[in-house]
Amino acid sequence: MKRTPYFYLVLFVSKLVRFLLLKLGRNATNFPGELAIWLCRSFIGRMPKPEKVVCITGTNGKTTVANLVEDVLERTGADFYCNRNGSNVYSGVASLLISNSDWRGRPTKKLAVFELDERSSNLILPYMRPDIMLCTNIFRDSYKRNAHPEFILDFLNKYIPDGVPMVLNADDMMCSELKPGNPRAYFSIARQPGDGEGSRNIVQDVPACPRCGGELKWDFRRYHHIGRAACKDCGFSSPKAGYTAVGLTETDMEVDIGGESFRFPLANSAYINVYNSLAAVALLCELGLEPGKIAGALGSVGISATRYMEEEVNGRKAILHLAKGQNPVACSRAFQNIRDYPGKKAVILFLDDFFDAQHTVENISWLYDADFEFLADGSVVQLIAAGARHWDVYLRLLLAGVPAERIDHMPGTGGAAEALRPGEPDSVFILYDVYTIRLAEDTQRLVVERLKKEAAKNAD
């Protein structure tokens, strides 16, 4: 797009506002871009771009994958910028372009990595063509925002430019069909012990062939619609992947890349995090990095503390675990991870969507698509539901088969840590929404203090 004198005026004003915000101690990751787009709707399109632009999107896992990719690029000496500490919507992208350019808008680095919210693709991708784009998965998300998975698939198909090379999840039959005419590379986890044709999840959003609606024959279904299948009628099947995790341990994965085997460290062996690590490896390889260098860099990084973090006190743990508000699939994955975690567990549930709890319409239907049944396991000795909708969560837990005597619930979040029953759990999980990380961190500190006091009392 042509750059007019008015565009340069908007750029100058936005940079000046960013400078003033930083002087005032603000992070300036969103407002400068929001102002620029308000003054010039096509601002992103008019801004010069770096030589190479990488975009990462998808329903779940995009932040973790983006952080892993960025950590590896940093450790291998790449000169790039990213929106790791900023917004992944259009205003955040505009702010990042502003902060990484000179006063004429020229980029200061040759590579940019953008995490993109899938619902913002219509406001970003028409103005910024990626050189490569990764999609982690396409799942059911917040109804009021994302409608249903087919809507998001159509949305992305409409706005991702033709010809952009794609890196896609071969085990997700919706994700693997994204932009079918574009060049593509796939990642997959081969069938593992315990994988079968069935799945105990409530939600299954690919009940029939995505192409013809025919009956699917599943080789295995790992969870929800993640697995590998073929259509009995038209022959459509899960695609063969160029990056396949063929062996998994607690600490690493063996990945087949073009017939050669490589080992990559894992920060966490839960399937969702194996997929995240594998997606990052596939994208980095497609960018031209050698597998050995990627493995070496991954050995010194972990999952972002805003997604998962453990703190140990005398053999007992306080664990932060993200469970995105109103996202039934993300919550179901968290619930199953908790059930499968060793030992006795207590769980503090901060499941209210932050903005919904504050001032938007109440929507609790997602609770009945989330697999709370995993929390009915006998190893989960206590559940504490805290927040505006604690009664709704309490009812859902009862319907899931959790005995009432294991459940405590309260409208305020401040007393959740105090409600822990002393001595019972080996681990305390704190589940929280994306925007309640500070609440979760404060609660973790209180839980750690509680565990320390118990340890000191037992020592006496």
Side-chain angles (χ1 to χ4, degrees), residues 73-110:
L73 289 174
E74 184 177 353
R75 283 161 175 77
T76 54
D79 187 28
F80 72 101
Y81 66 86
C82 61
N83 56 341
R84 182 175 195 138
N85 296 315
S87 168
N88 64 5
V89 298
Y90 63 96
S91 53
V93 169
S95 292
L96 195 63
L97 291 170
I98 291 166
S99 63
N100 289 277
S101 65
D102 62 20
W103 287 92
R104 295 179 62 185
R106 295 173 300 191
T108 56
K109 298 183 186 299
K110 294 183 178 181

mmCIF file of all heavy atoms in Angstrom, residues 73-110:
data_model
loop_
_atom_site.group_PDB
_atom_site.id
_atom_site.type_symbol
_atom_site.label_atom_id
_atom_site.label_comp_id
_atom_site.label_asym_id
_atom_site.label_seq_id
_atom_site.Cartn_x
_atom_site.Cartn_y
_atom_site.Cartn_z
ATOM 1 N N LEU A 73 15.010 -19.707 18.823
ATOM 2 C CA LEU A 73 15.615 -18.692 17.951
ATOM 3 C C LEU A 73 16.587 -17.811 18.729
ATOM 4 O O LEU A 73 17.683 -17.495 18.245
ATOM 5 C CB LEU A 73 14.516 -17.828 17.314
ATOM 6 C CG LEU A 73 13.660 -18.498 16.245
ATOM 7 C CD1 LEU A 73 12.517 -17.573 15.820
ATOM 8 C CD2 LEU A 73 14.491 -18.899 15.030
ATOM 9 N N GLU A 74 16.209 -17.447 19.945
ATOM 10 C CA GLU A 74 17.087 -16.610 20.771
ATOM 11 C C GLU A 74 18.373 -17.343 21.109
ATOM 12 O O GLU A 74 19.470 -16.773 21.021
ATOM 13 C CB GLU A 74 16.353 -16.208 22.042
ATOM 14 C CG GLU A 74 17.130 -15.271 22.934
ATOM 15 C CD GLU A 74 16.330 -14.833 24.157
ATOM 16 O OE1 GLU A 74 15.133 -15.154 24.245
ATOM 17 O OE2 GLU A 74 16.929 -14.176 25.021
ATOM 18 N N ARG A 75 18.260 -18.622 21.472
ATOM 19 C CA ARG A 75 19.437 -19.385 21.876
ATOM 20 C C ARG A 75 20.324 -19.777 20.702
ATOM 21 O O ARG A 75 21.484 -20.143 20.901
ATOM 22 C CB ARG A 75 19.000 -20.627 22.665
ATOM 23 C CG ARG A 75 18.595 -20.288 24.097
ATOM 24 C CD ARG A 75 17.754 -21.375 24.731
ATOM 25 N NE ARG A 75 17.487 -21.082 26.128
ATOM 26 C CZ ARG A 75 16.599 -20.198 26.556
ATOM 27 N NH1 ARG A 75 15.901 -19.484 25.683
ATOM 28 N NH2 ARG A 75 16.400 -19.993 27.847
ATOM 29 N N THR A 76 19.790 -19.724 19.504
ATOM 30 C CA THR A 76 20.610 -20.028 18.320
ATOM 31 C C THR A 76 21.089 -18.760 17.627
ATOM 32 O O THR A 76 21.629 -18.826 16.522
ATOM 33 C CB THR A 76 19.823 -20.906 17.332
ATOM 34 O OG1 THR A 76 18.564 -20.287 17.012
ATOM 35 C CG2 THR A 76 19.563 -22.290 17.922
ATOM 36 N N GLY A 77 20.889 -17.617 18.266
ATOM 37 C CA GLY A 77 21.470 -16.374 17.780
ATOM 38 C C GLY A 77 20.696 -15.640 16.713
ATOM 39 O O GLY A 77 21.233 -14.734 16.064
ATOM 40 N N ALA A 78 19.416 -15.979 16.510
ATOM 41 C CA ALA A 78 18.619 -15.287 15.490
ATOM 42 C C ALA A 78 18.314 -13.857 15.935
ATOM 43 O O ALA A 78 18.100 -13.591 17.130
ATOM 44 C CB ALA A 78 17.320 -16.042 15.232
ATOM 45 N N ASP A 79 18.285 -12.942 14.991
ATOM 46 C CA ASP A 79 17.960 -11.536 15.254
ATOM 47 C C ASP A 79 16.510 -11.319 14.838
ATOM 48 O O ASP A 79 16.207 -11.225 13.646
ATOM 49 C CB ASP A 79 18.904 -10.630 14.458
ATOM 50 C CG ASP A 79 18.732 -9.165 14.829
ATOM 51 O OD1 ASP A 79 18.339 -8.886 15.970
ATOM 52 O OD2 ASP A 79 18.982 -8.313 13.956
ATOM 53 N N PHE A 80 15.600 -11.259 15.804
ATOM 54 C CA PHE A 80 14.172 -11.216 15.489
ATOM 55 C C PHE A 80 13.424 -10.443 16.571
ATOM 56 O O PHE A 80 13.975 -10.111 17.619
ATOM 57 C CB PHE A 80 13.611 -12.637 15.405
ATOM 58 C CG PHE A 80 13.489 -13.329 16.744
ATOM 59 C CD1 PHE A 80 12.277 -13.425 17.402
ATOM 60 C CD2 PHE A 80 14.616 -13.867 17.364
ATOM 61 C CE1 PHE A 80 12.172 -14.048 18.632
ATOM 62 C CE2 PHE A 80 14.527 -14.495 18.605
ATOM 63 C CZ PHE A 80 13.296 -14.587 19.232
ATOM 64 N N TYR A 81 12.153 -10.183 16.296
ATOM 65 C CA TYR A 81 11.277 -9.655 17.339
ATOM 66 C C TYR A 81 9.962 -10.426 17.326
ATOM 67 O O TYR A 81 9.640 -11.115 16.351
ATOM 68 C CB TYR A 81 11.061 -8.153 17.209
ATOM 69 C CG TYR A 81 10.306 -7.675 15.985
ATOM 70 C CD1 TYR A 81 8.910 -7.621 15.975
ATOM 71 C CD2 TYR A 81 10.981 -7.220 14.852
ATOM 72 C CE1 TYR A 81 8.218 -7.153 14.876
ATOM 73 C CE2 TYR A 81 10.299 -6.748 13.747
ATOM 74 C CZ TYR A 81 8.909 -6.720 13.765
ATOM 75 O OH TYR A 81 8.220 -6.247 12.670
ATOM 76 N N CYS A 82 9.220 -10.332 18.427
ATOM 77 C CA CYS A 82 8.000 -11.124 18.574
ATOM 78 C C CYS A 82 7.064 -10.435 19.558
ATOM 79 O O CYS A 82 7.453 -9.495 20.248
ATOM 80 C CB CYS A 82 8.331 -12.533 19.075
ATOM 81 S SG CYS A 82 9.133 -12.530 20.701
ATOM 82 N N ASN A 83 5.831 -10.916 19.625
ATOM 83 C CA ASN A 83 4.850 -10.347 20.553
ATOM 84 C C ASN A 83 4.676 -11.226 21.792
ATOM 85 O O ASN A 83 3.565 -11.404 22.294
ATOM 86 C CB ASN A 83 3.506 -10.102 19.870
ATOM 87 C CG ASN A 83 2.920 -11.353 19.214
ATOM 88 O OD1 ASN A 83 3.630 -12.321 18.960
ATOM 89 N ND2 ASN A 83 1.633 -11.324 18.914
ATOM 90 N N ARG A 84 5.780 -11.767 22.282
ATOM 91 C CA ARG A 84 5.736 -12.646 23.455
ATOM 92 C C ARG A 84 5.102 -11.953 24.660
ATOM 93 O O ARG A 84 4.352 -12.562 25.415
ATOM 94 C CB ARG A 84 7.156 -13.096 23.802
ATOM 95 C CG ARG A 84 7.208 -14.055 24.970
ATOM 96 C CD ARG A 84 8.606 -14.573 25.212
ATOM 97 N NE ARG A 84 8.585 -15.723 26.080
ATOM 98 C CZ ARG A 84 9.314 -16.794 25.907
ATOM 99 N NH1 ARG A 84 10.106 -16.890 24.859
ATOM 100 N NH2 ARG A 84 9.260 -17.796 26.749
ATOM 101 N N ASN A 85 5.409 -10.709 24.865
ATOM 102 C CA ASN A 85 4.907 -9.994 26.045
ATOM 103 C C ASN A 85 3.795 -9.003 25.687
ATOM 104 O O ASN A 85 3.526 -8.076 26.440
ATOM 105 C CB ASN A 85 6.056 -9.245 26.720
ATOM 106 C CG ASN A 85 7.109 -10.189 27.246
ATOM 107 O OD1 ASN A 85 6.784 -11.193 27.867
ATOM 108 N ND2 ASN A 85 8.371 -9.892 26.974
ATOM 109 N N GLY A 86 3.166 -9.220 24.541
ATOM 110 C CA GLY A 86 2.133 -8.290 24.109
ATOM 111 C C GLY A 86 0.896 -9.003 23.619
ATOM 112 O O GLY A 86 0.734 -10.215 23.751
ATOM 113 N N SER A 87 0.029 -8.230 23.026
ATOM 114 C CA SER A 87 -1.263 -8.731 22.570
ATOM 115 C C SER A 87 -1.112 -9.494 21.261
ATOM 116 O O SER A 87 -0.308 -9.152 20.410
ATOM 117 C CB SER A 87 -2.214 -7.545 22.384
ATOM 118 O OG SER A 87 -3.375 -7.931 21.701
ATOM 119 N N ASN A 88 -1.963 -10.546 21.076
ATOM 120 C CA ASN A 88 -1.930 -11.307 19.825
ATOM 121 C C ASN A 88 -3.067 -10.930 18.881
ATOM 122 O O ASN A 88 -3.326 -11.636 17.907
ATOM 123 C CB ASN A 88 -1.935 -12.813 20.099
ATOM 124 C CG ASN A 88 -3.217 -13.289 20.780
ATOM 125 O OD1 ASN A 88 -4.171 -12.532 20.980
ATOM 126 N ND2 ASN A 88 -3.231 -14.558 21.151
ATOM 127 N N VAL A 89 -3.763 -9.819 19.176
ATOM 128 C CA VAL A 89 -4.807 -9.329 18.290
ATOM 129 C C VAL A 89 -4.235 -8.197 17.426
ATOM 130 O O VAL A 89 -3.070 -7.838 17.531
ATOM 131 C CB VAL A 89 -6.052 -8.873 19.082
ATOM 132 C CG1 VAL A 89 -6.647 -10.051 19.837
ATOM 133 C CG2 VAL A 89 -5.715 -7.754 20.051
ATOM 134 N N TYR A 90 -5.064 -7.613 16.572
ATOM 135 C CA TYR A 90 -4.573 -6.660 15.567
ATOM 136 C C TYR A 90 -3.873 -5.457 16.180
ATOM 137 O O TYR A 90 -2.849 -4.988 15.665
ATOM 138 C CB TYR A 90 -5.730 -6.214 14.674
ATOM 139 C CG TYR A 90 -6.827 -5.464 15.390
ATOM 140 C CD1 TYR A 90 -6.850 -4.080 15.415
ATOM 141 C CD2 TYR A 90 -7.851 -6.150 16.044
ATOM 142 C CE1 TYR A 90 -7.844 -3.388 16.076
ATOM 143 C CE2 TYR A 90 -8.844 -5.468 16.709
ATOM 144 C CZ TYR A 90 -8.843 -4.089 16.725
ATOM 145 O OH TYR A 90 -9.829 -3.409 17.395
ATOM 146 N N SER A 91 -4.377 -4.942 17.297
ATOM 147 C CA SER A 91 -3.740 -3.775 17.907
ATOM 148 C C SER A 91 -2.368 -4.121 18.475
ATOM 149 O O SER A 91 -1.440 -3.307 18.431
ATOM 150 C CB SER A 91 -4.640 -3.198 19.010
ATOM 151 O OG SER A 91 -5.001 -4.206 19.941
ATOM 152 N N GLY A 92 -2.201 -5.339 18.997
ATOM 153 C CA GLY A 92 -0.902 -5.767 19.490
ATOM 154 C C GLY A 92 0.110 -5.936 18.365
ATOM 155 O O GLY A 92 1.286 -5.589 18.516
ATOM 156 N N VAL A 93 -0.350 -6.473 17.223
ATOM 157 C CA VAL A 93 0.535 -6.615 16.068
ATOM 158 C C VAL A 93 0.970 -5.245 15.573
ATOM 159 O O VAL A 93 2.152 -5.016 15.271
ATOM 160 C CB VAL A 93 -0.170 -7.415 14.955
ATOM 161 C CG1 VAL A 93 0.616 -7.354 13.653
ATOM 162 C CG2 VAL A 93 -0.358 -8.871 15.391
ATOM 163 N N ALA A 94 0.020 -4.298 15.496
ATOM 164 C CA ALA A 94 0.368 -2.938 15.065
ATOM 165 C C ALA A 94 1.367 -2.299 16.031
ATOM 166 O O ALA A 94 2.324 -1.643 15.611
ATOM 167 C CB ALA A 94 -0.892 -2.089 14.955
ATOM 168 N N SER A 95 1.162 -2.501 17.334
ATOM 169 C CA SER A 95 2.089 -1.951 18.332
ATOM 170 C C SER A 95 3.483 -2.529 18.158
ATOM 171 O O SER A 95 4.489 -1.817 18.315
ATOM 172 C CB SER A 95 1.578 -2.243 19.751
ATOM 173 O OG SER A 95 0.401 -1.530 20.027
ATOM 174 N N LEU A 96 3.557 -3.822 17.836
ATOM 175 C CA LEU A 96 4.859 -4.458 17.656
ATOM 176 C C LEU A 96 5.574 -3.904 16.423
ATOM 177 O O LEU A 96 6.787 -3.678 16.451
ATOM 178 C CB LEU A 96 4.672 -5.970 17.523
ATOM 179 C CG LEU A 96 5.927 -6.825 17.690
ATOM 180 C CD1 LEU A 96 6.495 -6.686 19.097
ATOM 181 C CD2 LEU A 96 5.608 -8.288 17.404
ATOM 182 N N LEU A 97 4.828 -3.673 15.354
ATOM 183 C CA LEU A 97 5.426 -3.080 14.157
ATOM 184 C C LEU A 97 5.948 -1.676 14.461
ATOM 185 O O LEU A 97 7.011 -1.272 13.991
ATOM 186 C CB LEU A 97 4.394 -3.030 13.029
ATOM 187 C CG LEU A 97 3.976 -4.382 12.433
ATOM 188 C CD1 LEU A 97 2.779 -4.199 11.509
ATOM 189 C CD2 LEU A 97 5.122 -5.034 11.694
ATOM 190 N N ILE A 98 5.195 -0.934 15.279
ATOM 191 C CA ILE A 98 5.604 0.426 15.643
ATOM 192 C C ILE A 98 6.885 0.400 16.480
ATOM 193 O O ILE A 98 7.834 1.153 16.237
ATOM 194 C CB ILE A 98 4.473 1.133 16.420
ATOM 195 C CG1 ILE A 98 3.282 1.417 15.490
ATOM 196 C CG2 ILE A 98 4.965 2.439 17.056
ATOM 197 C CD1 ILE A 98 2.013 1.799 16.224
ATOM 198 N N SER A 99 6.923 -0.495 17.468
ATOM 199 C CA SER A 99 8.048 -0.507 18.408
ATOM 200 C C SER A 99 9.336 -1.052 17.786
ATOM 201 O O SER A 99 10.420 -0.817 18.319
ATOM 202 C CB SER A 99 7.691 -1.327 19.648
ATOM 203 O OG SER A 99 7.450 -2.675 19.317
ATOM 204 N N ASN A 100 9.207 -1.782 16.683
ATOM 205 C CA ASN A 100 10.384 -2.362 16.037
ATOM 206 C C ASN A 100 10.636 -1.754 14.660
ATOM 207 O O ASN A 100 10.978 -2.451 13.709
ATOM 208 C CB ASN A 100 10.230 -3.878 15.940
ATOM 209 C CG ASN A 100 10.338 -4.563 17.278
ATOM 210 O OD1 ASN A 100 11.429 -4.830 17.767
ATOM 211 N ND2 ASN A 100 9.190 -4.827 17.883
ATOM 212 N N SER A 101 10.445 -0.461 14.581
ATOM 213 C CA SER A 101 10.713 0.273 13.344
ATOM 214 C C SER A 101 11.343 1.620 13.691
ATOM 215 O O SER A 101 11.258 2.088 14.831
ATOM 216 C CB SER A 101 9.415 0.487 12.563
ATOM 217 O OG SER A 101 8.523 1.324 13.285
ATOM 218 N N ASP A 102 11.985 2.225 12.694
ATOM 219 C CA ASP A 102 12.512 3.569 12.919
ATOM 220 C C ASP A 102 11.409 4.598 12.672
ATOM 221 O O ASP A 102 10.243 4.241 12.448
ATOM 222 C CB ASP A 102 13.749 3.822 12.040
ATOM 223 C CG ASP A 102 13.447 3.751 10.539
ATOM 224 O OD1 ASP A 102 12.260 3.892 10.146
ATOM 225 O OD2 ASP A 102 14.389 3.552 9.753
ATOM 226 N N TRP A 103 11.769 5.877 12.702
ATOM 227 C CA TRP A 103 10.745 6.927 12.591
ATOM 228 C C TRP A 103 10.149 7.028 11.191
ATOM 229 O O TRP A 103 9.156 7.715 10.993
ATOM 230 C CB TRP A 103 11.334 8.276 13.015
ATOM 231 C CG TRP A 103 11.523 8.346 14.492
ATOM 232 C CD1 TRP A 103 12.644 8.020 15.192
ATOM 233 C CD2 TRP A 103 10.556 8.730 15.457
ATOM 234 N NE1 TRP A 103 12.442 8.182 16.539
ATOM 235 C CE2 TRP A 103 11.156 8.623 16.736
ATOM 236 C CE3 TRP A 103 9.225 9.152 15.384
ATOM 237 C CZ2 TRP A 103 10.495 8.926 17.917
ATOM 238 C CZ3 TRP A 103 8.554 9.461 16.566
ATOM 239 C CH2 TRP A 103 9.182 9.349 17.802
ATOM 240 N N ARG A 104 10.729 6.298 10.234
ATOM 241 C CA ARG A 104 10.142 6.232 8.894
ATOM 242 C C ARG A 104 9.385 4.924 8.675
ATOM 243 O O ARG A 104 8.915 4.656 7.576
ATOM 244 C CB ARG A 104 11.240 6.392 7.838
ATOM 245 C CG ARG A 104 11.909 7.765 7.875
ATOM 246 C CD ARG A 104 13.000 7.879 6.828
ATOM 247 N NE ARG A 104 12.471 7.740 5.471
ATOM 248 C CZ ARG A 104 13.223 7.709 4.371
ATOM 249 N NH1 ARG A 104 14.542 7.831 4.483
ATOM 250 N NH2 ARG A 104 12.670 7.578 3.182
ATOM 251 N N GLY A 105 9.291 4.117 9.723
ATOM 252 C CA GLY A 105 8.553 2.868 9.646
ATOM 253 C C GLY A 105 9.362 1.678 9.185
ATOM 254 O O GLY A 105 8.842 0.558 9.122
ATOM 255 N N ARG A 106 10.643 1.869 8.874
ATOM 256 C CA ARG A 106 11.453 0.772 8.381
ATOM 257 C C ARG A 106 11.792 -0.196 9.510
ATOM 258 O O ARG A 106 12.190 0.225 10.594
ATOM 259 C CB ARG A 106 12.736 1.312 7.743
ATOM 260 C CG ARG A 106 12.489 2.160 6.492
ATOM 261 C CD ARG A 106 13.753 2.809 6.006
ATOM 262 N NE ARG A 106 14.349 3.692 7.017
ATOM 263 C CZ ARG A 106 15.341 4.551 6.766
ATOM 264 N NH1 ARG A 106 15.843 4.623 5.542
ATOM 265 N NH2 ARG A 106 15.829 5.304 7.741
ATOM 266 N N PRO A 107 11.612 -1.519 9.279
ATOM 267 C CA PRO A 107 11.857 -2.502 10.349
ATOM 268 C C PRO A 107 13.319 -2.519 10.779
ATOM 269 O O PRO A 107 14.225 -2.359 9.954
ATOM 270 C CB PRO A 107 11.440 -3.833 9.714
ATOM 271 C CG PRO A 107 11.492 -3.602 8.248
ATOM 272 C CD PRO A 107 11.173 -2.158 8.023
ATOM 273 N N THR A 108 13.525 -2.734 12.081
ATOM 274 C CA THR A 108 14.884 -2.757 12.633
ATOM 275 C C THR A 108 15.472 -4.159 12.661
ATOM 276 O O THR A 108 16.645 -4.323 12.959
ATOM 277 C CB THR A 108 14.875 -2.186 14.053
ATOM 278 O OG1 THR A 108 13.931 -2.927 14.853
ATOM 279 C CG2 THR A 108 14.477 -0.710 14.048
ATOM 280 N N LYS A 109 14.646 -5.196 12.372
ATOM 281 C CA LYS A 109 15.129 -6.574 12.320
ATOM 282 C C LYS A 109 14.569 -7.258 11.071
ATOM 283 O O LYS A 109 13.568 -6.809 10.500
ATOM 284 C CB LYS A 109 14.728 -7.348 13.579
ATOM 285 C CG LYS A 109 15.325 -6.750 14.860
ATOM 286 C CD LYS A 109 14.964 -7.575 16.076
ATOM 287 C CE LYS A 109 15.434 -6.912 17.366
ATOM 288 N NZ LYS A 109 16.889 -6.737 17.417
ATOM 289 N N LYS A 110 15.218 -8.350 10.666
ATOM 290 C CA LYS A 110 14.836 -9.020 9.425
ATOM 291 C C LYS A 110 13.794 -10.119 9.614
ATOM 292 O O LYS A 110 13.217 -10.592 8.635
ATOM 293 C CB LYS A 110 16.081 -9.608 8.753
ATOM 294 C CG LYS A 110 17.070 -8.554 8.263
ATOM 295 C CD LYS A 110 18.242 -9.200 7.549
ATOM 296 C CE LYS A 110 19.204 -8.129 7.033
ATOM 297 N NZ LYS A 110 20.356 -8.747 6.295
#
